[in-house]
Every structure is written in structure tokens, then in C-alpha cells.
Amino acid sequence: MTSLFSDSISEIKQAATIIKQGGVVAFGTETVYGLGADATNSQAVQRIYQAKGRPSFNPLIIHFSDLDHVFQFVIKTELAHELALKFWPGALTLVLQQKKNTNTQISPIATANLSTMAVRIPSTKVARQLIKFSQKPIAAPSANSSGKISPSTAQHVFQELNHKIDAIIDSGPCQVGVESTILDLSNNVPTLLRPGGVTLEDLIPICGPIISNQPIETKIIAPGQLSSHYAPHLPVRLNCHEIFPDEALLAFGPPIEHTGLSKNLSNTANLEEAAQNLFAYLRFLDVQGRELGLKGIAVMPIPKTGLGLAICDRLTRAAAPRLA
């Protein structure tokens, strides 16, 4: 049975002890709930992959509690340092070249044997305390079955991973609601690998031109690059202006007329509110829709600006042909 912890200091310390002993613990961040293990312990990292059913070629993000700790493991470029000072702690992941002369190495399983590493400092107090108390960098993908809807509450994690992991720290709903932005700085020109909680509009004034990388299956260098991901069981249909009788509706702004099952990401078309609600509402429509015998989920159009770019990215992957 998976242990459920509160976000009290004493119970975070208990969870940190589990991490130090090679266990896996789910914990809330500002983006989504992560499934964490000691990033220097290959056996512990392997347990993350096993619990999620995650393919071994898909690397993990390594989470740190402070800036100095990050740059013990990766090469600090001028741009990386500037972005770190601006956006960390926060919902930005940077892909950087690993240092090879550190005393403690990150497990090659966590980085999928790549020369690069995806790193970030989460902004929630619980996440940083867990890292600090465990005295280890923590490898942590989203705390859900691989390819399925990401969890934004502790209950979502429990529903999917109970008996598969050691503990869950319940710190309430996630505030951003979509995963971190992943920016690759390992080459000459910054490349956006995954839009997320930090927008392109935020990054461009510091980075200048940013290449937007399309989903690829042949060279995965960071999480979130698989074309099919974040997927409910029901098929998802995008940019809908009409809803079929056997579909649930995921609305945005003034909704289309629909008398059946529906949820509205934001009645006022607020993208921050929509991002917070995205995964919880997708999960709700999927569960209730299947109970009602519905055949799919129709999604209204969402603008690809600000956080809308991240929302549309997640929905596009949710609607993609499913991996075998």
C-alpha cells in the first residue's frame, strides 16, 4: 500500500528518508505531480520507469533545490545562468551538457545515456524541501502511467500508482497545471523542445530567436517529445465548432450549445485558468464519458499564444494516434 503524507515538515522528512533509501515518492510541484527518486541511484531510477511503464530511451528531468547544486552537474553557459536567475525556481527546464568530472554522477538511466541533462529548480516549498532533506538531486517525471493524462492532484496519483510506489505527499492542486517548458541550450541556437509554464513571450527577450522543435521519435533528448502523450482513453477531437451526440465537450470561453457531458477550461477564456484545469478536466471527461458510453471528447479551439501554446501542445499529443 502506498503511504499518504501531508505537506508538514515532519512528513516531508519521512518522505526524504524513503528517497535516501532508494524509494520512489510522488510530490506536488507548481506544474504537475512528479514521481521522484534519488537521481544518483540507478536502482531507484529504474523503479520510476517500472512504475510508469516508461520507455528507457525517454530521459528524466533532474530537480535541484538551488542554483549552485545544479551547476555542479551541468556546464553553466552565460545564457543558462541568465535564464536561471530570471526563471528559477520555476517552470523552466534547461537541457545542458553534463560535466564529466563531478564526484557524484547522475545515473545514466536517468539521462538515457545522453551527454546532456534536463535540469530545473521547482518553485514549490514542498518540492524544494524534499530535495533538500533527501540531500540528493531528484529525478522526477510526471507521476502517472506513461503516455496518460498527467496528475494535478495527489488523488490522481493514488488512482493510478497505488501499490506501485512508496509514498505520495499531498500538497494540494498544482498551480500552473501543465508541465515545465523545456529549452535546449546544448547547441548554438536555443531550441524549444516542449512549451510549458514559462511562455515563449517570456523567453524571447532574453534568448533572442528560438527554434521550435516538432515532436520526433528518433532522437529523444528530453521528456515530452513523444508525439502521443497526455492521452485519455477516449479519442480526442480538436478545434471543434460542433459536438456530436456521443461526445463529451471540453469548452473554452463561451461554450458551444451542448446538453451532454461537458467541462469549461475557462468561461472567461483565461489561459492561466485553462492550464490549471486542463488535466483534471480531461481526466473527468474521460472517466465520466466512458461510464456514459460516450465515444470521444471534442475540444473547442484554443489560441496558441502565451500558455495557450502549451495547452494546445498537450491536446495535440492527447489527440495523436496512440502508441502501440
Side-chain angles (χ1 to χ4, degrees), residues 201-225:
E201 292 87 344
D202 294 329
L203 293 170
I204 287 173
I206 296 175
C207 296
I210 295 175
I211 298 171
S212 291
N213 194 37
Q214 296 301 311
I216 52 175
E217 310 292 346
T218 55
K219 188 184 178 185
I220 304 296
I221 66 170
Q225 288 188 272

Side-chain angles (χ1 to χ4, degrees), residues 12-255:
I12 294 171
K13 286 182 176 179
Q14 288 183 56
T17 298
I18 292 173
I19 294 284
K20 287 191 282 189
Q21 293 173 344
V24 289
V25 175
F27 60 98
T29 73
E30 73 278 31
T31 57
V32 298
Y33 272 72
L35 182 58
D38 175 2
T40 68
N41 182 333
S42 289
Q43 289 183 325
V45 172
Q46 187 62 47
R47 287 194 59 199
I48 294 177
Y49 283 90
Q50 290 169 347
K52 286 177 61 68
R54 185 182 179 95
S56 60
F57 59 77
N58 198 2
L60 308 177
I61 295 173
I62 313 303
H63 295 70
F64 298 85
S65 60
D66 61 72
L67 208 58
D68 290 340
H69 198 197
V70 175
F71 291 118
Q72 290 176 24
F73 293 88
V74 291
I75 296 172
K76 180 171 69 174
T77 66
E78 183 177 341
L79 179 56
H81 190 234
E82 188 175 358
L83 289 168
L85 291 176
K86 174 70 174 178
F87 296 110
W88 284 349
L92 176 66
T93 293
L94 299 178
V95 177
L96 298 165
Q97 291 292 335
Q98 293 190 54
K99 287 182 176 178
K100 296 301 182 185
N101 59 346
T102 56
N103 293 327
T104 304
Q105 292 291 334
I106 299 295
S107 166
I109 297 174
T111 61
N113 290 295
L114 297 168
S115 63
T116 56
M117 189 188 305
V119 296
R120 89 173 182 103
I121 301 174
S123 69
T124 60
K125 188 176 181 179
V126 167
R128 294 204 309 280
Q129 285 175 333
L130 180 65
I131 300 165
K132 181 180 178 181
F133 294 149
S134 69
Q135 300 177 313
K136 299 289 184 179
I138 291 181
S142 56
N144 59 295
S145 299
S146 186
K148 299 301 181 183
I149 303 171
S150 297
S152 53
T153 69
Q155 186 61 31
H156 295 160
V157 181
F158 189 81
Q159 288 167 354
E160 280 199 45
L161 299 182
N162 184 26
H163 298 294
K164 294 183 178 181
I165 64 177
D166 297 304
I168 301 168
I169 303 173
D170 187 349
S171 55
C174 300
Q175 294 305 302
V176 175
V178 292
E179 293 84 354
S180 62
T181 301
I182 301 181
L183 189 67
D184 181 9
L185 299 183
S186 64
N187 296 306
N188 293 330
V189 181
T191 300
L192 181 69
L193 300 182
R194 180 179 74 186
V198 174
T199 68
L200 268 180
E201 292 87 344
D202 294 329
L203 293 170
I204 287 173
I206 296 175
C207 296
I210 295 175
I211 298 171
S212 291
N213 194 37
Q214 296 301 311
I216 52 175
E217 310 292 346
T218 55
K219 188 184 178 185
I220 304 296
I221 66 170
Q225 288 188 272
L226 294 172
S227 59
S228 176
H229 208 32
Y230 317 109
H233 292 85
L234 291 177
V236 174
R237 192 166 64 91
L238 302 179
N239 301 313
C240 299
H241 295 278
E242 62 175 351
I243 311 302
F244 301 137
D246 61 355
E247 289 181 316
L249 168 63
L250 186 62
F252 177 75

Side-chain angles (χ1 to χ4, degrees), residues 291-312:
E291 288 183 0
L292 294 171
L294 300 182
K295 301 301 182 184
I297 300 171
V299 183
M300 288 176 58
I302 296 171
K304 294 184 178 181
T305 58
L307 272 176
L309 185 63
I311 295 169
C312 291

